[in-house]
Amino acid sequence: MFRMKSMRSFMFLICPVMVLVFFYYSSGRLQLKNSVQKSQADLDSLLSVGRVVASVYDKQGFLLKLDKKLPLELQYKYGNLSKGECKQGFAQAKMTLIYPKFSKPAPMFLDPNYKRLSKISSYPPPFGVRTQERIIDNILAATRSYSLGPELDSIPCKKCIIIGNGGILFNKSLGTKIDQYDVVVRLNEAPVAGFEKDVGSKTTMRITYPEGAIQRAERYEKSSLFVLSAFKSNDFKWLRHMVYKDRLTPGGPLTVNQIQTDAFETCGPEYSLSWRMDGFWKSVARVVPRAPQDMRILNPYFIQEASFRLIGLPHNNGLMGRGNIPTLGTVAITMALHNCDEVAVAGFGYDMNTPHAPLHYYEKLRMSAIKESWTHNISREKEFLRKLVKAGVIEDLTHGI
Ligand SMILES: *[C@@H]1O[C@H](CO)[C@@H](O)[C@H](O)[C@H]1NC(C)=O
Ligand SMILES: *[C@@H]1O[C@H](CO)[C@@H](O)[C@H](O)[C@H]1NC(C)=O
Ligand SMILES: *[C@@H]1O[C@H](CO)[C@@H](O)[C@H](O)[C@H]1NC(C)=O
């Protein structure tokens, strides 16, 4: 009885204590929870500091603050070179400084092992090689050369210049300077003969797509590499014809039937149906006066990288679409960033504010002629090229960018 009573009074005593303990602990937990929340807040503010750090880069991943200054290690490496001496690895070093995502390996041209290049195997043209493997294998088996050639391959430091076709080159007398570069890249049908004073006389390679290629054989320079930049599947088929010298009705117009027959004989039935001349937006060259070993296929990775990564054009599920194709000039510059030690450009720059300036250095077409371009985004592209010039990754001899 007594024990029962004392037990009850014990319970009376213990209950408030337990309630107190409960409150004590739950408030403790509350505090604990508070402090967790607080440290979460600390973490957030830390992260936002991190975001501030991250925002020294723009949306594309380029440093926002661009200048030509070199960090100490590059000053040490290049500071002592005499003026004009080739700065080995300069373009890539400077590019990586302003764009840390830049990774160097990307060969200029396709070689028979191109299937190892995973980035291009998942996209169809213009961003990759998917669906075109068979015809590419066919072309590469005939060209049997996949580099700049023994002489240039052996130079440990290469200076390259990309000659744009812009009217800005006209009457600037840059010819002599241009000819001093190890690699002179010209685009499409840009002529040399008659313009040497302004554009030089040396041509290491001419990068073109079928519609842009020189149509009259006698207008080609004596020797240069003929490099296809393919934008559509038909472009590869066209190159195959140029490589195999399928002359097709010399002199006369190309007819669909003849091409179909010809394609059928060489490639099998699946090509005969798809190979049609109306797959081009203007007439194309029927003959390219080059031996197969002087023909190359430009690595389509440069189109992909320029569009999706460097300029930031719409991905459009990896297909050609409105405003997502870089111009050939920017594709060539992207190629040079990966493969040259120093990169210069001349003849670049569309000034939309002066529609009456000549569009090209060799003809009377005016700027206004390119105003509505469906595939390109000239203003976005110019933003990208300006970053390269501002940071001194490339040198712009005509100051048009
Ligand atoms: C550059 O010159 C300085 C001073 O003349 C010298 O100390 C340094 O080692 C040189 N650097 C290189 C890479 O040659
Ligand atoms: C080319 O430039 C020179 C001066 O460098 C000038 O005298 C000449 O008029 C210019 N020619 C044309 C066609 O603009
Ligand atoms: C070019 O890009 C700008 C900015 O992203 C966009 O507003 C414009 O519509 C684009 N032009 C074309 C032709 O796609």
Side-chain angles (χ1 to χ4, degrees):
M1 191 66 198
F2 169 77
R3 285 178 72 179
M4 187 83 170
K5 209 174 165 185
S6 64
M7 185 68 164
R8 200 180 286 160
S9 52
F10 175 75
M11 289 297 278
F12 270 119
L13 250 170
I14 203 77
C15 281
V17 170
M18 280 174 71
V19 168
L20 276 174
V21 166
F22 171 78
F23 275 118
Y24 178 79
Y25 274 107
S26 50
S27 73
R29 282 191 55 148
L30 272 176
Q31 256 174 21
L32 203 69
K33 206 170 158 202
N34 267 339
S35 74
V36 166
Q37 272 169 351
K38 196 150 169 267
S39 63
Q40 185 64 48
D42 287 346
L43 201 64
D44 279 345
S45 70
L46 268 175
L47 282 176
S48 70
V49 169
R51 253 176 251 125
V52 170
V53 169
S55 76
V56 301
Y57 295 101
D58 66 15
K59 240 181 30 215
Q60 245 34 69
F62 283 88
L63 212 57
L64 284 170
K65 192 175 159 294
L66 298 172
D67 55 44
K68 297 196 169 78
K69 270 191 257 154
L70 292 179
L72 275 178
E73 81 265 20
L74 292 189
Q75 278 178 30
Y76 179 80
K77 187 167 178 196
Y78 300 120
N80 291 0
L81 297 180
S82 54
K83 198 167 154 33
E85 208 175 328
C86 185
K87 302 189 188 87
Q88 199 162 7
F90 181 84
Q92 283 128 36
K94 191 74 220 232
M95 182 68 175
T96 310
L97 277 176
I98 66 160
Y99 181 74
K101 283 189 271 184
F102 190 74
S103 72
K104 189 199 171 215
M108 268 189 193
F109 311 124
L110 296 188
D111 60 56
N113 277 324
Y114 69 89
K115 285 168 192 132
R116 77 187 182 281
L117 307 167
S118 57
K119 286 180 181 125
I120 58 170
S121 48
S122 49
Y123 291 95
F127 304 113
V129 296
R130 210 184 74 212
T131 68
Q132 300 303 305
E133 293 87 349
R134 206 177 138 185
I135 197 159
I136 290 173
D137 290 345
N138 200 291
I139 292 167
L140 296 179
T143 65
R144 299 199 312 270
S145 317
Y146 316 106
S147 73
L148 283 174
E151 199 182 313
L152 282 168
D153 290 345
S154 67
I155 298 182
C157 189
K158 282 188 270 297
K159 291 191 193 184
C160 305
I161 187 162
I162 319 294
I163 311 298
N165 301 349
I168 200 163
L169 261 175
F170 179 71
N171 205 23
K172 293 242 165 50
S173 302
L174 282 169
T176 315
K177 186 157 190 194
I178 288 169
D179 283 341
Q180 284 163 6
Y181 283 80
D182 302 302
V183 175
V184 178
V185 179
R186 299 189 194 275
L187 308 171
N188 283 332
E189 81 273 272
V192 173
F195 299 90
E196 290 91 344
K197 180 174 85 65
D198 289 330
V199 306
S201 54
K202 177 175 179 174
T203 306
T204 312
M205 72 175 87
R206 191 174 272 286
I207 306 180
T208 77
Y209 41 84
E211 294 89 344
I214 298 174
Q215 299 207 20
R216 286 164 57 183
E218 68 274 15
R219 291 219 177 136
Y220 280 81
E221 53 277 344
K222 268 207 209 73
S223 71
S224 64
L225 295 178
F226 183 86
V227 181
L228 173 77
S229 178
F231 286 89
K232 3 180 215 14
S233 328
N234 262 358
D235 296 357
F236 286 110
K237 297 189 185 90
W238 174 83
L239 181 65
R240 201 199 57 79
H241 277 274
M242 299 306 111
V243 165
Y244 283 92
K245 303 282 178 260
D246 301 334
R247 272 165 203 267
L248 310 155
T249 55
L254 217 45
T255 68
V256 170
N257 266 347
Q258 277 161 325
I259 299 161
Q260 284 184 353
T261 315
D262 177 85
F264 183 89
E265 282 162 5
T266 333
C267 309
E270 67 272 33
Y271 287 111
S272 66
L273 296 173
S274 55
W275 171 246
R276 295 167 58 91
M277 283 316 276
D278 53 13
F280 297 105
W281 45 268
K282 70 191 263 285
S283 68
V284 294
R286 263 185 241 99
V287 174
V288 170
R290 286 286 175 272
Q293 58 269 24
D294 290 333
M295 298 193 179
R296 304 283 185 276
I297 300 172
L298 190 73
N299 184 350
Y301 176 66
F302 305 123
I303 299 179
Q304 185 188 129
E305 185 185 39
S307 178
F308 302 151
R309 289 161 67 92
L310 301 177
I311 312 175
L313 298 174
H315 186 267
N316 193 35
N317 293 318
L319 299 174
M320 179 188 283
R322 189 184 128 81
N324 78 351
I325 307 298
T327 60
L328 194 58
T330 293
V331 173
I333 291 173
T334 306
M335 176 275 279
L337 290 177
H338 285 276
N339 290 283
C340 301
D341 296 277
E342 288 184 48
V343 180
V345 302
F348 276 78
Y350 295 119
D351 190 354
M352 286 301 185
N353 299 321
T354 54
H356 297 295
L359 179 61
H360 297 137
Y361 67 82
Y362 50 87
E363 63 185 13
K364 297 242 173 327
L365 215 61
R366 301 279 150 192
M367 284 304 303
S368 42
I370 57 150
K371 250 186 187 143
E372 6 60 86
S373 165
W374 181 80
T375 45
H376 302 314
N377 194 328
I378 301 290
S379 59
R380 289 294 298 273
E381 206 169 300
K382 198 159 179 170
E383 278 171 36
F384 159 62
L385 295 180
R386 281 204 173 125
K387 293 176 204 170
L388 298 185
V389 171
K390 200 167 169 208
V393 177
I394 65 176
E395 189 190 355
D396 177 14
L397 300 191
T398 39
H399 309 288
I401 291 176

